[in-house]
Amino acid sequence: IIAFDELKTDYKNPIDQCNTLNPLVLPEYLIHAFFCVMFLCAAEWLTLGLNMPLLAYHIWRYMSRPVMSGPGLYDPTTIMNADILAYCQKEGWCKLAFYLLAFFYYLYGMIYVLVSS
Amino acid sequence: MSQPGPPGSGAAPAGLQARDGAAAASGAPYSNGPVHSAVMSSQVAVNQGYNSQLPGSYPHLIPAKTLNPASGQSHYGGSQGPGQTLHRPPVAANPVAPSLHSGPVPRTLVPASQSPAATPRPSGGFLPGASPLPPVNWQHSYPSMGSQMNQYPPAPSQPPVPGNTHLSTNHQYVSSGDPSLQNSYVKSGSALPLRNPPQPTTFQPGAPPGPPPTRVPPLEGGLPPVRALLPPKAPLRTAPQPSFNSVVNQEGITSNTNNGSMMARSSYDEIEGGGFLATPQLATKNPQMSRSVGYAYPSLPPGYQNTAPASSATGMPPSSFNYPSGPQAFPQTPLGANHLTASMSGLSLHPEGLRVVNLLQERKMLPSTPLQPPVPNLHEDIQKLNCNPELFRCTLTSIPQTQALLNKAKLPLGLLLHPFKDLVQLPVVTSSTIVRCRSCRTYINPFVSFLDQRRWKCNLCYRINDVPEEFMYNPLTRVYGEPHRRPEVQNATIEFMAPSEYMLRPPQPPVYLFVFDVSHNAVETGYLNSVCQSLLDNLDLLPGNTRTKIGFITFDSTIHFYSLQEGLSQPQMLIISDIDDVFIPMPENLLVNLNESKELVQGLLKTLPQMFTKSLETQSALGPALQAAFKLMSPTGGRMSVFQTQLPTLGVGALKPREEPNQRSSAKEIHLTPSTDFYKKLALDCSGQQVAVDLFLLSGQYSDLASLGCISRYSAGSVYYYPSYHHQHNPVQVQKLQKELQRYLTRKIGFEAVMRIRCTKGLSIHTFHGNFFVRSTDLLSLPNVNPDAGYAVQMSVEESLTDTQLVSFQSALLYTSSKGERRIRVHTLCLPVVATLNEVFLGADVQAISGLLANMAVDRSVTASLSDARDALVNAVIDSLAAYRSSVLSNQQPGLMVPFSLRLFPLFVLALLKQKSFQTGTNARLDERIFAMCQVKNQPLVHLMLTTHPNLYRVDNLSDEGALNINDRTIPQPPILQLSVENLSRDGAFLMDGGSVLMLWVGKNCAQHFLSQVLGVQNYASIPQIGTDLPELDTPESARMIAFISWLREQRPFFPVLYIIRDESPMKASFLQNMVEDRTESALSYYEFLLHIQQQVNK
């Protein structure tokens, strides 16, 4: 996800970059959706509530992706636009932070459950 | 030559002379106070000098034909003799021509001996070589030279060696006076390879005629002694002497002392006499610029801060842009209104620079002469080295210090580039090392500063770099130790011959592949005939060398290849019907060497139109054909020209019709975005393999240009669109295709190009606009670059620029010429930084802003919607004017107050709103709209502005008053009218210049005289419904008209078709559509638009 930084600072070819990134997008979204479904099954309403906005965002993001034949999100022709690049970078950082926090929260939840039981 | 810069072109020694001249010219002492009054007087002088002509129109370049030759002559004399001008204000006011004489002269001198033209002469030396040339000179510019020589023989700057100045001026004149040279860059380029062999002989005057020594490194050993000789001499010779003399003498010295190895180290070649960029500008721009008064002002002293604004207005030194246009001449101190008013002489002959214009009251804001770009408020020395605004332009000629200030101004900051424009003269440097900044890789340019002899400071990243040993030596003047006189440091536009480290692979040969649609529909239109005919005619003119390769592919539902193997009696056709998995039937002979198989190619082109006349195949497999073509070209790269006449229906890349005619009027739901990414992906593949695709769409029906256009857009090609092309029913389009094809085939081309744009630390590039693929934040990949493509760049201010006075932008275009040379063309633009909003507004370049806004609006309509884009355009005007009103104007007056520099902003935006790309209403077909958008993105600014806001002239009463004189031709200059029906009248005839099209509308009651004398018809009824030809009659009226039209045509690289329209013609609607100031069904009139803006602004 943070490969965008590379794109901005380093001079990697955007086509290659997009080709490596695009296949990763869908799995990421699917994994996240899978987690959400698991939370739903486990009736973890709080966690689910925390994750719902991101899920909605992912769905929206994928609906409004550029016209593409393959899976993925990033279009090598527009990715170099400063706005889009900055946006993607910001998105990457935010999601990284969210996933990290979520991971610790899940860990805490797990340990808490283990300890309490 | 010791003095590459013209006197006053920034080189210090020139200052001595120039200063005198300037003092004389302005008729004022050096002090601050009287400066503006001096300027005023010079304006007066201007008027006096040109009384007999139309105000402001002055054929400066061609003194020979001036209407009042006396004044013209005295001008020329005047500048050359500074002392005398003091007493003769009119003379001093117009040193235009002398500037030409004295200006680029020194530069042209040496190259003259070096230019291809001079090569045939014996190697006997400089002077002998020069002697054949002066006659030419006298032919071209006899009167002016005469006046110069006769009137002021003792003028100090007329050097003791007149023969040599003749030579140089001669060169100057030949090149600049002859507008036909405007397009001759290709030729000069093609002459290039010839250049090297003769160099040794021409450059070494003393060398014995014989096999010249090889000129590259082997000789380096011979250098040191020469160098040792030179340094002591250089200062002696150069400093005290007027520039050309020293050059001459230097030549003399070298011819004595030099053993002929001087050239060894780095050879400087200059095309066409090695001019300055400014010189070609004078030549090419002459027609447009010549109206401005007093424009070249050669002798203002460098170093006169206070006269700077004045000088920038009254005239620029020859090497600068020569744009006198007023609005940009700022005071050195903010709000120094006096200076400003003094400095305003450009457009309208009366001071208006700081004036705030109430657009609601002053309706006639459109100048009657073509609008000139503003001149940055730079020190004159810098300004005259600056890049030509036709090539490189910024929307704000004063860069705001911070992003906050930029946001406050609400004006877009960006650059508009025309990097590969055909230039008449372009300095070309061949050098084994190209001096660049070590950290940011900036090429050395005129705006770097030399800390001392050995070090220079990069003007983009401020790193201090060493001057390489080789750079110390100036081969142009053969002087050692003057790095700041090297051509690299004297020219903002320069071309380097790139050594091998700039190549990833050996330079590719020119490869041209033509892909023709031969389905039933295509054969119906009959386009193959004209295209093949054009190709046959221009086969020898295709830019290239002995390595040129050519190939053909045709397709309908199958793909046909043509084997053009040497030895075959006729081309062999190979049909591939498997379009799902395209392969190349044979590895070679599909792309063949043009020279070796020329007859075969010609045979194919002759038979091709007949081969498919019986075809009943209606399907079109464009996608597979493109894939096949790509496979064929991918090993080499090159140019693919695709001719398509319908929607592709078969194989990959098939498209469905999406246009719904009934919904055209609603701005929503129109398909501006591509429906498939096949073409985009293919284009990216092409781009990676250095293939550019040019699309010629000749379709009657909807062909989804939005999708098809991607193939050209991302591969740096261009799109041509001929709606409803038919060889019989639509002769106008046929003519248009032929003319454009001719230009397309013969124009210069650069292969496997990349363009990098660098800018001073603190600025950053935001977005690019144009046809290319952005490979990294500042690098554009251009598989092909053509001279008709323009680019736009949006910039943002990332860090505060408070600690710097100047910012620079540099674009470097690395390409392979059609001769297989790797070259780098570098343009550098330097602009001042300002701290106040008022200055930002004063420096706004309204044309560039409109151009950039149009580009942004195209993006917006694709990503959002058309109505969004339209709103954004209107808001751009409202926001900027509101910002001006609230932050700059102190007293809130009623009305719509705008800064003078932006007085045409609402008009241009309104014109944009009514342009095909952004108009609402039912009359724009989707493909036409998208084509217009492609044009907005791909055209250089000049053409974009003409298509958006055409020039209207009344032509039934052309007179020689104020006419231009170019090469014995008198070209009338009618004033530009506002685009409103109220300016039309039934008893007149009006010519509208819309860039790619000229329309002559003849009113119903037009004078019989005009009909018979110009149109050659008896009465109004016998004017054809749609005429495209103007008869050449033997009458003065006809001659004037034809001169005017051909002059308009010469100004642009392509050939605009002339339509003659009468009242009942179907074309009348498109003529009236361009009347942007008038009300239409769906759009506001100019006045209503202004009222609307005023309402919003005053909220």
Side-chain angles (χ1 to χ4, degrees), chain B residues 390-409:
Chain B
E390 285 217 330
L391 303 172
F392 207 152
R393 214 159 146 174
C394 186
T395 53
L396 303 176
T397 53
S398 311
I399 305 290
Q401 257 181 357
T402 56
Q403 181 73 33
L405 189 62
L406 176 62
N407 290 343
K408 229 166 138 190

Side-chain angles (χ1 to χ4, degrees), chain B residues 728-803:
Chain B
Q728 281 168 340
H729 303 162
N730 205 340
V732 175
Q733 294 284 5
V734 177
Q735 197 188 357
K736 189 164 173 252
L737 173 68
Q738 277 169 346
K739 295 289 183 191
E740 292 189 353
L741 209 55
Q742 190 188 356
R743 163 73 183 164
Y744 172 76
L745 293 172
T746 55
R747 72 187 176 189
K748 217 170 167 275
I749 182 169
F751 295 97
E752 42 185 3
V754 288
M755 181 161 77
R756 197 182 280 276
I757 296 170
R758 298 183 173 90
C759 44
T760 298
K761 204 166 62 178
L763 291 168
S764 70
I765 293 168
H766 188 273
T767 313
F768 291 98
H769 301 278
N771 287 359
F772 46 72
F773 171 61
V774 191
R775 219 160 63 191
S776 102
T777 41
D778 58 351
L779 186 70
L780 304 180
S781 142
L782 304 161
N784 280 6
V785 58
N786 71 66
D788 301 338
Y791 304 91
V793 186
Q794 264 172 271
M795 313 283 304
S796 54
V797 185
E798 276 204 334
E799 298 161 31
S800 165
L801 300 166
T802 36
D803 49 352

Side-chain angles (χ1 to χ4, degrees), chain B residues 886-964:
Chain B
S886 59
S887 345
V888 178
L889 291 181
S890 45
N891 49 343
Q892 300 282 327
Q893 297 152 301
L896 183 60
M897 310 309 288
V898 299
F900 187 77
S901 58
L902 288 179
R903 68 201 185 284
L904 295 175
F905 193 26
L907 177 61
F908 285 159
V909 167
L910 182 68
L912 276 178
L913 290 177
K914 293 186 179 182
Q915 211 227 17
K916 273 241 166 69
S917 325
F918 307 111
Q919 68 182 198
T920 52
T922 53
N923 38 15
R925 289 164 54 191
L926 189 47
D927 276 348
E928 285 181 29
R929 184 190 295 276
I930 289 164
F931 177 64
M933 289 184 171
C934 293
Q935 292 292 90
V936 166
K937 286 229 147 191
N938 196 29
Q939 273 179 326
L941 181 67
V942 205
H943 302 147
L944 173 62
M945 284 321 292
L946 267 185
T947 18
T948 309
H949 188 271
N951 288 340
L952 182 69
Y953 307 93
R954 179 165 187 161
V955 289
D956 60 322
N957 49 4
L958 289 180
S959 70
D960 283 343
E961 197 181 329
L964 275 180

Side-chain angles (χ1 to χ4, degrees), chain A residues 7-8 11-15 66-70 75-78 80-83 85, chain B residues 673-677 680-681 684 714 756 765-767 773-778 798 859:
Chain A
L7 203 60
K8 196 183 172 191
Y11 297 103
K12 205 174 167 186
N13 190 335
I15 302 182
V67 180
M68 291 175 79
S69 47
D75 178 0
T77 55
T78 53
M80 291 314 297
N81 180 309
D83 275 345
L85 191 60
Chain B
T673 47
S675 56
T676 165
D677 71 339
K680 184 168 19 182
K681 279 187 153 169
L684 293 184
Y714 298 110
R756 197 182 280 276
I765 293 168
H766 188 273
T767 313
F773 171 61
V774 191
R775 219 160 63 191
S776 102
T777 41
D778 58 351
E798 276 204 334
D859 270 3

Side-chain angles (χ1 to χ4, degrees), chain B residues 528-643:
Chain B
L528 269 177
N529 271 319
S530 17
V531 173
C532 289
Q533 193 53 48
S534 288
L535 256 173
L536 272 177
D537 294 344
N538 294 305
L539 212 52
D540 294 327
L541 300 173
L542 278 177
N545 52 10
T546 50
R547 297 197 299 160
T548 309
K549 285 179 161 188
I550 194 166
F552 298 90
I553 290 179
T554 57
F555 67 94
D556 40 32
S557 61
T558 55
I559 304 167
H560 322 133
F561 295 87
Y562 296 87
S563 164
L564 300 162
Q565 191 180 0
E566 241 186 321
L568 286 177
S569 58
Q570 60 177 38
Q572 190 184 353
M573 185 160 114
L574 305 153
I575 301 178
I576 304 294
S577 51
D578 181 11
I579 54 169
D580 294 327
D581 182 20
V582 187
F583 62 95
I584 306 290
M586 55 199 297
E588 47 205 20
N589 294 324
L590 296 176
L591 277 174
V592 292
N593 189 301
L594 180 58
N595 285 351
E596 287 162 14
S597 314
K598 186 169 272 176
E599 270 150 36
L600 224 48
V601 170
Q602 284 169 337
L604 174 63
L605 285 173
K606 279 176 192 146
T607 49
L608 203 55
Q610 277 76 50
M611 277 163 77
F612 298 96
T613 42
K614 304 241 158 42
S615 166
L616 292 174
E617 189 58 70
T618 55
Q619 304 277 53
S620 160
L622 177 66
L626 285 173
Q627 281 179 326
F630 166 64
K631 278 188 185 164
L632 192 57
M633 296 193 81
S634 53
T636 50
R639 181 171 78 185
M640 189 196 298
S641 315
V642 181
F643 292 79

